[in-house]
Amino acid sequence: NKGFGPSFPVRLASAMGEETMMLMNGDKSVFFDSPLSQEGIQQVKTLYDLLERPPQDPAIAGDLKILKGDAGKSVLVSSNLRRAVATAAVGFWGRLKRHKDKIIILSCLQEISRNVDTLALAPPKGVPTIAMPREVDGKGKTLDPQYMDGKFNNGNKALSSNGGKRMNEFAEWCFSREENTIIAAGHSLFFRSFFQQYLPKSFQHQAKKDKMVNAGVVAFTLNKILFSGKMVYAIPQDSISVIHGGFEDKKKKKA
């Protein structure tokens, strides 16, 4: 971090030039749709390791079987942002290889923010370019597109879109599927808002206040019920369970 000095205009111009060249050459960017950082990759590797080693905690052994694709019917989905798809690809690489699964790209899972790093580069029906770490896939190459499905990717969120609409769209999509379990790779603000929206208003839970940690896994049930003549979605307050990581502790962060 060199700060604002005499060389700042030159460095800024250089970065903008690099950004232009990257955007002209495909879904690469310094600013937009930021990829998973090296720190993020190491965090996701803890999830990969959890799924690939024998279960240490009997209490979550059944959940891990579902996540690995070894029990029940489940489907992997992800936001259309690169860091979310990379989280799914790295964390569930063992499942993808063993079962030849695909990560279904859902634009409705795109993060709730207008920051430039939340603007998707993958075009409608397209899939992003994902760099795989060598210590996971053994090659350090880009993820083969055969492991992704862009059928439900509508591209970057429209100006008329908002988080509430996309959360409801995601809930509707879940109930259109035959699988019992939807495994979603997304974003901390989106999921916190999802809990705020669908948990009972009077119910207090950390999920409503704090963001999930990177590569965290939290399980819950989503119900579809008839209320006042219309169908609505709700999360039973006793259905939330932490499988891995959980939520940020604001007190520890301040300390």
Side-chain angles (χ1 to χ4, degrees), residues 9 11 37 91 115 121 123 131 184 197:
R11 288 186 282 114
S37 66
N115 292 342
L121 292 175
Q197 177 74 14

Side-chain angles (χ1 to χ4, degrees), residues 35-50 53 83 86-87 90-91 131-136 213-216 244:
L36 197 62
S37 66
Q38 285 301 312
E39 180 183 9
I41 290 172
Q42 295 307 310
Q43 291 167 334
V44 178
K45 276 190 62 191
T46 65
L47 174 58
Y48 170 81
D49 292 339
L50 175 69
R53 70 182 183 222
R83 57 189 179 276
T87 296
V90 174
M132 292 292 290
R134 182 181 298 275
E135 57 266 40
V136 171
V213 301
N214 291 342
H244 177 66

Side-chain angles (χ1 to χ4, degrees), residues 42-91:
Q42 295 307 310
Q43 291 167 334
V44 178
K45 276 190 62 191
T46 65
L47 174 58
Y48 170 81
D49 292 339
L50 175 69
L51 296 177
E52 293 307 303
R53 70 182 183 222
Q56 305 296 309
D57 183 357
I60 63 170
D63 296 302
L64 295 181
K65 279 189 175 183
I66 294 173
L67 291 172
K68 294 166 68 173
D70 295 338
K73 290 185 177 181
S74 61
V75 61
L76 286 171
V77 303
S78 171
S79 153
N80 54 358
L81 294 175
R82 289 187 290 177
R83 57 189 179 276
V85 181
T87 296
V90 174

